[in-house]
């Protein structure tokens, strides 16, 4: 029931029951054949007795509802096996695929702080004395005239971009820039800030894709 000695179904005991690990590199039909064989023959003795909770792990295989029901039906033939979950691993993001971005809108006034976990697209202005703080990147469709801190958990690959950039302070991870002293100009339009070689640099938005896809 295996190919070149490889097992398509591995059954592991865990603290709360059993994990059924189903091979994701071959045809599902071959996996199900081996699953039936192990439940009916080779593993028959150890899969009998009191109720056992089962978690089915599919690896990176994506299955339909009908295929999940087929798996349930096969395992369900053993009356003591109670399926708790049938799950696939989270797919890895494709190269160059952007992480999810949350969109918020409004105005951040003096004394106000907006905190966000992840990447943020902010539709509005950040006024002097206002602060926007994110664990991911910050994209502002408006004026950034207050303070912005991206990568607040230490992510130095985060960026800060704004339609109109005249901040009192920029910070990415632990690197701080205080314009205009460090920039050589008072304000900028359609620019973004990033970390390169441990220093913060400012560049035009139309060049940002080169960094994001690098």
């Amino acid at each position: 029931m295996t190919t070149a000695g490889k097992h398509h179904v591995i059954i592991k005991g865990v603290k709360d029951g059993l994990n059924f690990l189903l091979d994701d590199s071959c045809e599902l039909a071959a996996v199900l054949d081996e699953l039936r064989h192990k439940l009916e023959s080779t593993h028959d003795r150890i899969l009998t007795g009191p109720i056992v909770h089962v978690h089915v792990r599919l690896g990176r295989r994506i299955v339909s509802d009908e295929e999940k029901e087929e798996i349930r039906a096969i395992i369900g033939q053993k009356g003591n096996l109670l399926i708790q979950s049938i799950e696939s691993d989270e797919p890895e993001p494709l190269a160059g695929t952007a992480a999810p971005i949350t969109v918020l809108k409004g105005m951040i006034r003096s004394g106000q702080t907006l905190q966000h976990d992840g990447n943020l697209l902010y539709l509005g202005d950040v006024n002097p004395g206002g602060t926007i703080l994110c664990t991911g990147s910050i994209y502002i469709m408006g004026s950034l005239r207050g303070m912005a801190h991206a990568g607040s958990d230490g992510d130095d690959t985060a960026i800060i971009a704004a339609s109109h950039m005249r901040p009192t302070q920029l910070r990415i991870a632990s690197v701080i820039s205080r314009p205009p002293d460090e920039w050589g100009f008072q304000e900028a339009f359609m620019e973004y800030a990033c970390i390169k070689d441990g220093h913060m640099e400012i560049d035009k938005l139309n060049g940002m894709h080169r960094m994001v896809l690098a």
Side-chain angles (χ1 to χ4, degrees):
M1 305 304 296
T2 61
T3 302
K6 180 180 180 180
H7 291 281
H8 298 318
V9 177
I10 298 176
I11 300 174
K12 288 187 175 182
V14 293
K15 185 176 181 180
D16 60 345
L18 294 173
N19 279 352
F20 281 45
L21 310 178
L22 307 189
D23 184 10
D24 59 6
S25 64
C26 64
E27 293 292 332
L28 180 61
V31 176
L32 298 185
D33 283 346
E34 184 175 323
L35 178 61
R36 291 189 189 93
H37 179 70
K38 286 189 171 180
L39 291 177
E40 296 169 0
S41 303
T42 60
H43 289 60
D44 181 65
R45 291 184 178 180
I46 67 172
L47 298 178
T48 58
I51 295 294
V52 178
H53 290 173
V54 172
H55 298 273
V56 181
R57 307 297 188 217
L58 302 173
R60 297 182 183 177
R61 186 192 302 276
I62 303 299
V63 297
S64 66
D65 290 341
E66 291 78 10
E67 290 168 334
K68 282 187 178 182
E69 285 306 312
E70 188 174 3
I71 294 171
R72 289 183 183 277
I74 295 171
I75 297 175
Q77 292 178 4
K78 292 289 184 180
N80 66 311
L81 300 184
L82 185 61
I83 296 179
Q84 300 295 300
S85 65
I86 301 177
E87 297 179 346
S88 301
D89 295 340
E90 289 292 328
E92 294 182 359
L94 298 174
T97 300
I101 299 177
T102 298
V103 180
L104 297 175
K105 61 182 178 179
M107 178 182 293
I108 302 175
R109 296 179 172 84
S110 178
Q112 294 180 328
T113 298
L114 172 63
Q115 295 188 12
H116 178 70
D117 185 12
N119 299 318
L120 178 64
L121 172 60
Y122 190 73
L123 310 179
D125 298 334
V126 182
N127 286 345
T131 300
I132 189 165
L133 179 69
C134 290
T135 59
S137 295
I138 299 171
Y139 308 89
I140 299 173
M141 296 295 290
S143 294
L144 171 56
R145 294 180 291 163
M147 183 269 201
H149 184 182
S152 58
D153 284 351
D155 181 8
D156 61 4
T157 66
I159 65 176
I160 301 171
S163 301
H164 174 213
M165 190 176 285
R166 192 178 182 180
T168 54
Q169 183 187 106
L170 292 182
R171 183 170 179 175
I172 298 176
S174 60
V175 179
I176 299 174
S177 179
R178 294 181 176 84
D181 297 342
E182 299 176 21
W183 293 10
F185 50 84
Q186 289 285 336
E187 59 186 346
F189 295 90
M190 306 303 290
E191 306 267 345
Y192 77 100
C194 64
I195 301 298
K196 292 183 180 178
D197 300 323
H199 301 282
M200 192 176 303
E201 294 187 6
I202 308 298
D203 201 354
K204 288 291 185 182
L205 277 176
N206 59 11
M208 187 173 66
H209 70 280
R210 292 192 295 271
M211 176 186 178
V212 174
L213 297 179

